[in-house]
Amino acid sequence: MIIQNVELNVINMASDKVTACCQALIEKNLTISFAESASAGKMCYEFSTVINSGRILIGGIVCYHTSMKEDLLLIPWGTIEKYSAESAEVTKLMAQHFYRYANSDFCVALTGLTTPGGSESSSKPVGTIFIHIVFKEKQIAKRYEFKGNPESIINQAIDAVADLILKEI
């Protein structure tokens, strides 16, 4: 019996919202960077899959563990203990602090709960995502509660980021 190895080319394409956001950033000559926790780099990756993303994507940092947030993004000691790693306060500081380093027009930070545990509670269930965007002299802070499995929650959050940026440009 002969078995042939067949290589399947699977193309992972960004969502229509991410593609539209990238195209708008390209048209306006604007750049973007990411400070990610819950999305663990997927947001930066999704934006990188769009044609000509090199013209807009500065890069990103994944700060999943508390020590990364405190040591690399200089989140003041005690802040995470007070508010939790998955909070609007920490997400805001992540965006503001990385914005200083990234030298991009837009800096997006994202934290949240995609699986049970962490700071999950009745007021902050799984699916809660915090997004903070810094640009020019403006900032946007949003809290969402998405439904679905971890991948679906992250994909919904990435599309929400793309929508927020599209509304601004």
Side-chain angles (χ1 to χ4, degrees), residues 37-158:
S37 185
S39 51
K42 186 170 186 193
M43 189 162 41
C44 190
Y45 168 74
E46 290 295 323
F47 275 70
S48 77
T49 64
V50 176
I51 294 171
N52 291 319
S53 62
R55 293 176 50 195
I56 61 157
L57 182 59
I58 298 300
I61 185 168
V62 175
C63 290
Y64 204 82
H65 192 268
T66 297
S67 65
M68 294 285 287
K69 291 176 180 79
E70 291 174 343
D71 297 342
L72 289 179
L73 289 182
L74 306 176
I75 305 300
W77 188 87
T79 303
I80 293 172
E81 187 175 321
K82 181 176 181 180
Y83 298 106
S84 89
E86 306 89 8
S87 65
E89 294 83 1
V90 169
T91 310
K92 177 181 180 178
L93 291 171
M94 286 171 59
Q96 291 173 336
H97 292 184
F98 195 58
Y99 183 68
R100 294 181 191 145
Y101 297 111
N103 195 25
S104 61
D105 296 301
F106 287 85
C107 184
V108 180
L110 184 149
T111 68
L113 298 160
T114 61
T115 60
S119 62
E120 176 190 7
S121 67
S122 59
S123 62
K124 191 174 13 169
V126 169
T128 303
I129 297 289
F130 296 95
I131 294 169
H132 198 93
I133 304 172
V134 178
F135 58 102
K136 296 181 186 176
E137 301 298 319
K138 189 172 178 182
Q139 297 185 39
I140 298 172
K142 295 286 185 182
R143 174 192 165 129
Y144 297 94
E145 286 186 20
F146 298 115
K147 302 289 184 207
N149 63 32
E151 184 176 5
S152 173
I153 291 166
I154 293 303
N155 289 338
Q156 292 171 75
I158 293 168

